[in-house]
Amino acid sequence: MKLTVLGGGGVRSPFLAKSIVSNADMVGINEIVFMDNDKEKLFIYGKIAMNLAKRINPDIKFSITSDAKEALTDADFVITTLRVGGDEGRVSDERIALNNGLLGQETTGAGGFAMALRSVPALIDYCHLIREVAKPEALVFNFTNPSGIVTQALRSQGFDNVYGICDAPSEFIKQLREILDVEPEDFDITCFGLNHLSWFKDAKVKGKDVMGEILNHPKLYTDTEMRLFQPELTRMSGDLLLNEYLYFYYYREQAIDSINKSGKTRGETILEINNQMTKALKEINIDEDFEEAFKIFMTHYLIRENSYFSIESGQLRPKQLNVPSVQEVIETPDEGGYAGVALNFVRAYSTGERTLMVLSIPNEGAIEGLADDDVVEISCVIDKKKVTPIAVGEIKDMQMNLIKTIKYYERKTIEAILNKDRDMAIKALTVHPLINSYSLATELVDGYLEQYKDYVGEWN
């Protein structure tokens, strides 16, 4: 079977390749194609990915291409991880928001809106091509941000083979397992909400309730993403655990203040690191001196990863990572990430091996008060050809009010993009709690439409 990655020239491509190749045999994948229309980055990061893949499993056919039709023809599975507009787009997203005194984080609020302007039309085009040339029952796993909006948009256009995936929930769940020192198969917890706007409840170890133990664990606020929050907020939230991205809603002024004090946005930092890395890698023959190329790559990549969320929160990650060799990376057990989520889904979906995981899928009654076709981020049961969200029933007002508001914003944003409707876009941002102003929404929409007119064209 064939798996295609759209956005295979991204900086995270080598890790994506490792995860896919390491687990390919369990789902019968024997051909992998990384596609990207940025040829320079594809022939740097895609090539690093290809060299790493060949060392892990030389029997798998692994190729890179800038031809989307070639990449998608006869594909059984597709992972989308695009950054339309590149790192420069992210910088503009954040700066236009900050110039208006607002948070510009790439998936949340104004920044997420701006990224959706570029991402949604591109993904719709790719999904039409997938429908045309891929296998009839091809599955699409969307990791392109803002994942919730993009997945909702694709589902609204009839692409019901699309599932939204995100590694934030699985990474947080892994952190919880580690502080409890329990095996993955023994731990269970329910996630509900929207992408980058979710909560966790009902933690169990071998069927025994351990929420109290987690809430009172001395490492909860030091060794997990709960480090971003105060225990008082947790109690106020009904003793639910919080997705790290809720930091931007509950501490927005601190996030903005921290960004302004740093002098650089996250996007500007990433752009600078990536430019330095790309420049260094262009001066080396990756195929002939792969060890050195990989060392350059990992050195720069870990500067990015170790500073994750630090600009916005003023805190470093609890675990700082050291630069590994190629062999160390190969020998390190694969932790999955979003590729692991996708492949676990494929295994369960194809074989009937019952599996629990967090996905972005239509609600179908799982959360009371939302429409059946509202795409939600929720714990699901996957078995033979079937995906079922785990019903969580009625949600308390504190969470439900925010979920409904953001879902309304997502719906209106999609409507605006599909119809090129400026007024609808302003309406969407006006109701968003991180903007909550008609005048600011107007400034943002006009600023982004001008900045990205080459992507979005003329609007009504």
Side-chain angles (χ1 to χ4, degrees), residues 20-89:
I20 295 171
V21 173
S22 298
N23 297 287
D25 289 343
M26 76 178 186
V27 292
I29 292 171
N30 55 19
E31 181 179 0
I32 299 168
V33 181
F34 275 31
M35 177 270 163
D36 205 298
N37 54 19
D38 186 325
K39 292 184 179 180
E40 179 180 77
K41 290 186 177 178
L42 179 66
F43 282 91
I44 294 175
Y45 301 107
K47 187 168 282 190
I48 291 174
M50 184 164 62
N51 276 273
L52 186 63
K54 286 181 178 178
R55 292 199 180 194
I56 296 170
N57 188 344
D59 293 331
I60 290 179
K61 181 181 178 182
F62 193 111
S63 61
I64 58 177
T65 181
S66 291
D67 186 328
K69 187 172 183 179
E70 173 191 323
L72 292 169
T73 296
D74 294 327
D76 297 275
F77 312 110
V78 180
I79 293 176
T80 73
T81 176
L82 307 176
R83 182 173 290 281
V84 183
D87 294 327
E88 293 80 4

Side-chain angles (χ1 to χ4, degrees), residues 14 43 97 111 130 162 175 238 293 377 417 458-459:
F43 282 91
I130 290 167
V162 176
Q175 292 169 359
E377 182 170 86
I417 293 170
E458 295 295 326
W459 281 36

Side-chain angles (χ1 to χ4, degrees), residues 272-398:
E272 182 178 314
I273 295 169
N274 286 353
N275 282 345
Q276 291 171 353
M277 177 165 52
T278 300
K279 181 180 178 182
L281 288 169
K282 284 170 68 174
E283 296 174 359
I284 194 167
N285 187 311
I286 293 171
D287 293 325
E288 293 181 4
D289 198 357
F290 180 58
E291 297 283 346
E292 181 62 24
F294 193 76
K295 181 179 179 181
I296 292 170
F297 165 74
M298 285 302 307
T299 299
H300 288 85
Y301 181 82
L302 290 181
I303 295 172
R304 287 174 41 136
E305 290 304 292
N306 285 332
S307 64
Y308 180 71
F309 246 93
S310 64
I311 290 175
E312 299 89 345
S313 69
Q315 302 179 43
L316 290 174
R317 274 186 156 175
K319 292 183 179 179
Q320 294 291 290
L321 306 171
N322 298 316
V323 177
S325 67
V326 174
Q327 194 59 35
E328 286 173 334
V329 168
I330 291 173
E331 292 174 356
T332 300
D334 181 64
E335 295 183 353
Y338 57 93
V341 175
L343 293 177
N344 282 335
F345 178 104
V346 169
R347 180 177 60 186
Y349 192 82
S350 303
T351 66
E353 179 183 336
R354 189 177 186 275
T355 300
L356 299 176
M357 65 179 61
V358 179
L359 297 168
S360 288
I361 65 168
N363 179 50
E364 296 296 344
I367 300 177
E368 291 182 12
L370 295 181
D372 284 347
D373 63 347
D374 280 338
V375 169
V376 296
E377 182 170 86
I378 196 163
S379 296
C380 301
V381 176
I382 298 92
D383 50 26
K384 189 72 172 178
K385 305 291 183 183
K386 189 176 180 182
V387 183
T388 307
I390 295 174
V392 295
E394 185 178 357
I395 305 301
K396 291 184 178 180
D397 288 346
M398 183 175 180

Side-chain angles (χ1 to χ4, degrees), residues 140-330:
V140 180
F141 301 100
N142 176 59
F143 188 70
T144 299
N145 280 322
S147 181
I149 293 178
V150 172
T151 304
Q152 181 78 66
L154 296 175
R155 284 277 181 163
S156 74
Q157 296 300 291
F159 298 111
D160 56 5
N161 60 332
V162 176
Y163 297 88
I165 56 175
C166 180
D167 51 1
S170 59
E171 288 300 311
F172 179 56
I173 292 170
K174 178 189 170 195
Q175 292 169 359
L176 295 176
R177 291 199 313 263
E178 287 178 346
I179 67 170
L180 292 174
D181 192 23
V182 297
E183 296 300 318
E185 61 269 19
D186 295 333
F187 185 72
D188 185 29
I189 193 167
T190 299
C191 173
F192 70 91
L194 308 178
N195 181 243
H196 289 183
L197 191 93
S198 57
W199 292 263
F200 300 80
K201 67 171 189 170
D202 299 338
K204 293 182 176 66
V205 173
K206 295 183 178 179
K208 179 186 175 183
D209 187 343
V210 293
M211 276 300 291
E213 182 179 348
I214 290 175
L215 291 167
N216 293 294
H217 200 289
K219 292 185 178 180
L220 179 64
Y221 294 98
T222 57
D223 290 18
T224 80
E225 302 305 349
M226 288 294 291
R227 67 193 169 85
L228 299 167
F229 308 105
Q230 268 71 48
E232 292 80 7
L233 176 60
T234 307
R235 289 196 293 271
M236 199 176 294
S237 301
D239 285 338
L240 298 172
L241 302 175
L242 292 78
N243 184 303
E244 62 190 326
Y245 284 86
L246 286 166
Y247 175 82
F248 297 116
Y249 292 90
Y250 294 139
Y251 298 84
R252 63 175 176 177
E253 75 290 343
Q254 292 184 25
I256 293 171
D257 185 56
S258 184
I259 293 168
N260 287 331
K261 283 181 179 177
S262 76
K264 286 183 182 178
T265 65
R266 176 68 174 168
E268 287 164 346
T269 302
I270 293 296
L271 177 62
E272 182 178 314
I273 295 169
N274 286 353
N275 282 345
Q276 291 171 353
M277 177 165 52
T278 300
K279 181 180 178 182
L281 288 169
K282 284 170 68 174
E283 296 174 359
I284 194 167
N285 187 311
I286 293 171
D287 293 325
E288 293 181 4
D289 198 357
F290 180 58
E291 297 283 346
E292 181 62 24
F294 193 76
K295 181 179 179 181
I296 292 170
F297 165 74
M298 285 302 307
T299 299
H300 288 85
Y301 181 82
L302 290 181
I303 295 172
R304 287 174 41 136
E305 290 304 292
N306 285 332
S307 64
Y308 180 71
F309 246 93
S310 64
I311 290 175
E312 299 89 345
S313 69
Q315 302 179 43
L316 290 174
R317 274 186 156 175
K319 292 183 179 179
Q320 294 291 290
L321 306 171
N322 298 316
V323 177
S325 67
V326 174
Q327 194 59 35
E328 286 173 334
V329 168
I330 291 173

